[in-house]
Amino acid sequence: RGRQNLEGFRERHPESPVQQIDREHGGAGITRSEYEAALRTTLRDGTTQDILNAVNRGELVVVVDTYGVDHATQGQPGSHTYTVEPNADNPARPLVYDGAGEPYPWPPAGLDRVQSTQIATFDTNGRPLHPPTDPVNTTSGRPEHISGKLGRPDVVLTGSVGGWSGRPFVSKV
C-alpha cells in the first residue's frame, strides 16, 4: 500500500514534489530508501501525540507504523503506511488515508500493536517540512532501516497485520 499511499497523496496535493515509485515491487514491498526518495524527505521517530500535534498545526503527516513479531503474521515484522490530514468538518478527528478507499476518522486500527512509528511532515501543499539531509531525529544512518529496534531486521513496507504482512529485509549497508 506504500505506492497507493503515495498515489493518493499526489492526487490530493498535486503541487507536492512527492513522487511515485517507478519500480514494480510485486510482493517484495518498498524499501525505506525508495519511500524516502519518493517522499523527498526522511522518516523520523514519532509518536501518536506527534502526529496529532502536527495535524493540529495544519500539517499533513505520512506515517509508517511497524509491528513487532508478536503482532505480525507468519512471525515476521510488518509495516503499515498511511497519511493523516486535518479534517475541516471535525478538527478533533483528523482523517486517515490508508491508500485504499475513502478516508476515515482518527484513530487507525491497531495502534495498540505498534512497536515503532516513523513520520514525515508536510505543509498544506504537500511540501516536506524537513529536507532529506536533515540529520535531526532520523531513525538511523542506514538507508534501508525502518524499525530496527530491539535488534529486529530491517523491513520493507508490506504487510498483513490488519491487512498488512511483513517480510524481513536485511540491509547490506
Side-chain angles (χ1 to χ4, degrees), residues 31-54:
T31 64
R32 177 193 176 100
S33 60
E34 287 176 307
Y35 205 56
E36 288 180 329
L39 291 172
R40 305 291 207 185
T41 189
T42 54
L43 295 166
R44 298 170 318 284
D45 284 339
T47 65
T48 300
Q49 193 59 52
D50 293 331
I51 295 166
L52 294 174
N53 290 343

Side-chain angles (χ1 to χ4, degrees), residues 1-74:
R1 302 257 170 126
R3 289 174 59 98
Q4 292 171 321
N5 194 41
L6 293 170
E7 182 178 322
F9 190 93
R10 289 171 42 91
E11 287 173 5
R12 291 187 307 279
H13 310 286
E15 295 180 24
S16 173
V18 168
Q19 298 179 336
Q20 186 54 270
I21 295 172
D22 294 328
R23 178 181 72 85
E24 284 299 320
H25 58 82
I30 299 168
T31 64
R32 177 193 176 100
S33 60
E34 287 176 307
Y35 205 56
E36 288 180 329
L39 291 172
R40 305 291 207 185
T41 189
T42 54
L43 295 166
R44 298 170 318 284
D45 284 339
T47 65
T48 300
Q49 193 59 52
D50 293 331
I51 295 166
L52 294 174
N53 290 343
V55 171
N56 285 336
R57 291 189 302 265
E59 298 169 11
L60 317 173
V61 184
V62 172
V63 180
V64 177
D65 283 336
T66 300
Y67 303 92
V69 179
D70 296 342
H71 299 291
T73 62
Q74 303 168 352

Side-chain angles (χ1 to χ4, degrees), residues 38-135:
L39 291 172
R40 305 291 207 185
T41 189
T42 54
L43 295 166
R44 298 170 318 284
D45 284 339
T47 65
T48 300
Q49 193 59 52
D50 293 331
I51 295 166
L52 294 174
N53 290 343
V55 171
N56 285 336
R57 291 189 302 265
E59 298 169 11
L60 317 173
V61 184
V62 172
V63 180
V64 177
D65 283 336
T66 300
Y67 303 92
V69 179
D70 296 342
H71 299 291
T73 62
Q74 303 168 352
Q76 299 176 359
S79 296
H80 176 196
T81 183
Y82 55 94
T83 302
V84 183
E85 300 186 9
N87 181 349
D89 295 330
N90 185 354
R93 299 285 309 268
L95 294 174
V96 177
Y97 296 85
D98 71 2
E102 295 297 313
Y104 55 90
W106 179 269
L111 285 181
D112 59 329
R113 298 186 315 256
V114 172
Q115 176 183 331
S116 65
T117 298
Q118 284 79 46
I119 63 173
T121 53
F122 299 81
D123 68 16
T124 57
N125 293 315
R127 290 186 300 261
L129 294 176
H130 301 278
T133 56
D134 182 0

